[in-house]
Amino acid sequence: MSQEEEGGQLPAFLTDPRGVLRRRWVWLAGVIALGVIGTAIFVARVPVTFLASATLVVNEQQIPDKFVAVTVVEDPLQQIDALVGEILSRERLAPLVEKHNLYPELRKHTAMLDLVRMARSNVVVAPADSVVKQKRGSPASVFNISFRDLNPKVAAAMANDLATLFTAAAGKASGDAARTTADFMRAERDRSERELRAQERLLSEFKEKYRGELPTELGTNTSKLERLALQRQTLGAQLAAAETRLADLERLGDLANPASPYSRLSALRTKMVSEQAVNTDEHPNVIAVRRQIEALEKEIARSGAGSGDPAQDIALRSLRDEVADLRIQIVRASSESAGLEERVSRTPQREEELAALMQKQAVLHETYISNLRKLEAAELALSVESAQQGSRVEVLDRAVAPSEPESTRLKYLFAGLGASVMGALAIAVLLELLDPVIVSVKQIEDELGLQVLGSVGRIG
């Protein structure tokens, strides 16, 4: 490598362009000739195509959002991208290929799928440079849909048909989206309503099952306990007084004898009260004591046993009945009081369970109301879409047959000639690098390390 190259200077042959032309003119001429011939062949065979464009605009919903909520995705770019894929499908393009008789020279030996692919490659969808103001003053999204063909009239007709497909697909997509949203919200409303009704049934069953233990009944139960406590106290005092009077009467005569029929009857009645306090009427103990009482009463009735004083006997029977009745009342009051105390003790637990059920019911009710409002908004938006007042795509300018081709052959010719010249120069530079020559005195000194004493200019 020379010192010029090591020092970052240009190669020596670049300082002698004439010498390069003299040494490499054959290669230069050959490359340029090949390039010219190839360009001429390409220009002669390249088809001249025409590009026709239709302009479309995406309008926003005509009714303000504060009156009708938007339920359809309104991003124009996303909407356009989705619709482009739909209108470029085989189902949409194949009828247009047939309608406009595209590529007639290829249709005899080319499958429809390949023709559709060719048509798809000639479709161009791009944002337009123009800006359109909507009624609300905001700029609308404007884009062009173009088609390229050898025939300008066919190109314009295809562009217009594609624009028509685009607007129809956009309207159907908006309507389908609004309908899907409404159906989804209707299903959500029904689901939340079923869950709410089921929770309300659970709450109702809970209140019915635990009636008497609910927090709302705590005050009533407490008042009943207080009344029962006072009632037991009063009944206890009455029982003590009645038992005292009975004892006094029994001490007046032989009735005080424990073996007397009246004493045994009183003892059996007391035992009956005790048994009924802990057992049901069908319990064997209760049945046995009842039979003993009935038998003893029949015995007293047959024998006429008594004190001899009818008035005293009536008083004794009345007092015994009163004592037995008071004891029964005390047992009933005690049993009722025990039941109420047990209910009151379970009230805090029922309160927690009830609060959880009511909280879940409130959440489900709020969800139901929210879904109901969303459904109303979705159905209103669907009505707006059905009335064609929602966001839609419209044709702003229809395509017309272009008068000039998209690219002329002259442009291809100049591009090919330029590429040929650049290729020839690249070949010349490559040859100079692969087969270098000495073109200056300094290069001799650098390459050979010899002192040059003199030089002679070019002769001839």
Side-chain angles (χ1 to χ4, degrees):
M1 184 178 291
S2 65
Q3 294 178 358
E4 290 87 345
E5 293 173 341
E6 292 178 355
Q9 300 178 3
L10 293 175
F13 69 86
L14 293 180
T15 63
D16 184 24
R18 292 183 180 180
V20 174
L21 292 175
R22 286 195 303 270
R23 292 187 298 273
R24 314 299 182 188
W25 70 271
V26 176
W27 285 94
L28 290 172
V31 172
I32 291 175
L34 290 176
V36 170
I37 294 173
T39 300
I41 295 174
F42 175 77
V43 170
R45 299 185 62 179
V46 68
V48 177
T49 59
F50 295 85
L51 187 69
S53 301
T55 304
L56 294 90
V57 59
V58 181
N59 290 322
E60 294 182 358
Q61 180 173 288
Q62 303 301 308
I63 302 176
D65 296 346
K66 64 180 179 179
F67 297 113
V68 179
V70 177
T71 60
V72 181
V73 178
E74 294 291 336
D75 189 345
L77 295 179
Q78 293 182 0
Q79 187 179 14
I80 292 172
D81 290 341
L83 293 176
V84 166
E86 182 177 351
I87 66 170
L88 295 184
S89 64
R90 179 181 177 182
E91 290 74 12
R92 298 298 183 92
L93 285 182
L96 296 183
V97 173
E98 294 282 353
K99 175 182 177 181
H100 298 286
N101 193 26
L102 298 180
Y103 319 117
E105 68 282 357
L106 300 176
R107 298 187 65 176
K108 294 181 180 180
H109 53 80
T110 305
M112 178 56 70
L113 179 60
D114 295 329
L115 296 178
V116 168
R117 290 174 179 171
M118 293 177 62
R120 187 181 297 135
S121 65
N122 289 320
V123 176
V124 179
V125 179
D129 297 332
S130 59
V131 176
V132 176
K133 295 289 185 179
Q134 302 185 97
K135 292 182 179 180
R136 304 186 197 179
S138 59
S141 299
V142 183
F143 61 98
N144 293 329
I145 183 165
S146 309
F147 189 78
R148 183 183 294 107
D149 194 75
L150 299 176
N151 189 328
K153 295 183 179 179
V154 172
M158 277 291 297
N160 288 327
D161 285 349
L162 290 172
T164 301
L165 287 178
F166 207 103
T167 56
K172 183 177 182 298
S174 298
D176 290 346
R179 191 173 297 102
T180 300
T181 302
D183 292 342
F184 172 77
M185 291 313 307
R186 188 175 296 107
E188 287 297 300
R189 189 277 313 271
D190 295 341
R191 179 188 59 80
S192 59
E193 183 178 10
R194 289 193 300 270
E195 293 179 351
L196 178 60
R197 297 294 176 261
Q199 186 64 22
E200 289 177 346
R201 285 195 298 271
L202 287 177
L203 186 59
S204 177
E205 292 172 358
F206 179 87
K207 291 181 178 180
E208 185 66 26
K209 180 179 180 180
Y210 298 107
R211 185 180 300 276
E213 301 178 12
L214 301 177
T216 55
E217 299 172 305
L218 180 60
T220 303
N221 292 338
T222 304
S223 300
K224 286 183 178 179
L225 283 174
E226 294 176 354
R227 289 197 301 272
L228 287 173
L230 181 60
Q231 182 181 358
R232 284 187 299 171
Q233 183 178 0
T234 302
L235 290 173
Q238 293 177 355
L239 178 61
E243 288 177 341
T244 301
R245 292 198 304 272
L246 179 61
D248 291 341
L249 284 176
E250 288 178 343
R251 280 195 298 269
L252 293 177
D254 293 336
L255 293 175
N257 183 7
S260 65
Y262 288 104
S263 297
R264 288 187 287 116
L265 181 60
S266 177
L268 288 174
R269 287 175 176 172
T270 302
K271 184 177 180 181
M272 171 64 80
V273 172
S274 300
E275 290 293 340
Q276 288 178 336
V278 295
N279 299 316
T280 62
D281 291 343
E282 290 76 15
H283 195 274
N285 293 343
V286 175
I287 295 174
V289 173
R290 184 184 299 114
R291 289 176 178 174
Q292 293 177 8
I293 292 174
E294 292 174 355
L296 188 56
E297 287 177 345
K298 291 179 180 180
E299 180 183 349
I300 293 174
R302 286 195 304 269
S303 62
S307 62
D309 185 354
Q312 187 177 7
D313 291 343
I314 294 173
L316 284 172
R317 284 195 297 270
S318 176
L319 279 175
R320 290 190 180 99
D321 292 340
E322 181 181 354
V323 168
D325 183 62
L326 288 173
R327 287 174 178 172
I328 292 173
Q329 292 184 41
I330 291 175
V331 171
R332 290 176 178 174
S334 299
S335 177
E336 186 177 356
S337 179
L340 282 174
E341 289 177 353
E342 187 176 357
R343 292 180 182 179
V344 170
S345 66
R346 288 197 295 263
T347 297
Q349 178 183 353
R350 302 297 177 235
E351 184 176 8
E352 293 180 1
E353 296 172 352
L354 182 63
L357 290 173
M358 295 183 67
Q359 182 178 6
K360 185 175 181 180
Q361 182 196 22
V363 172
L364 292 176
H365 183 267
E366 183 178 354
T367 302
Y368 169 73
I369 296 299
S370 176
N371 289 336
L372 185 61
R373 292 173 179 170
K374 291 178 181 178
L375 175 60
E376 293 174 353
E379 290 178 341
L380 183 58
L382 179 59
S383 300
V384 170
E385 289 292 335
S386 300
Q388 297 184 352
Q389 296 296 318
S391 174
R392 62 187 186 277
V393 179
E394 296 178 342
V395 178
L396 186 62
D397 292 320
R398 293 182 61 81
V400 296
S403 57
E404 296 181 357
E406 182 182 11
S407 297
T408 62
R409 286 192 171 93
L410 187 60
K411 183 187 297 184
Y412 292 128
L413 179 61
F414 284 141
L417 293 177
S420 300
V421 172
M422 295 300 297
L425 293 177
I427 291 295
V429 171
L430 181 61
L431 292 174
E432 288 294 326
L433 292 175
L434 295 177
D435 184 20
V437 296
I438 296 175
V439 298
S440 65
V441 173
K442 190 174 186 308
Q443 189 177 5
I444 294 175
E445 294 176 349
D446 294 339
E447 295 291 341
L448 303 178
L450 300 176
Q451 181 68 34
V452 178
L453 299 179
S455 62
V456 179
R458 179 177 178 79
I459 300 174

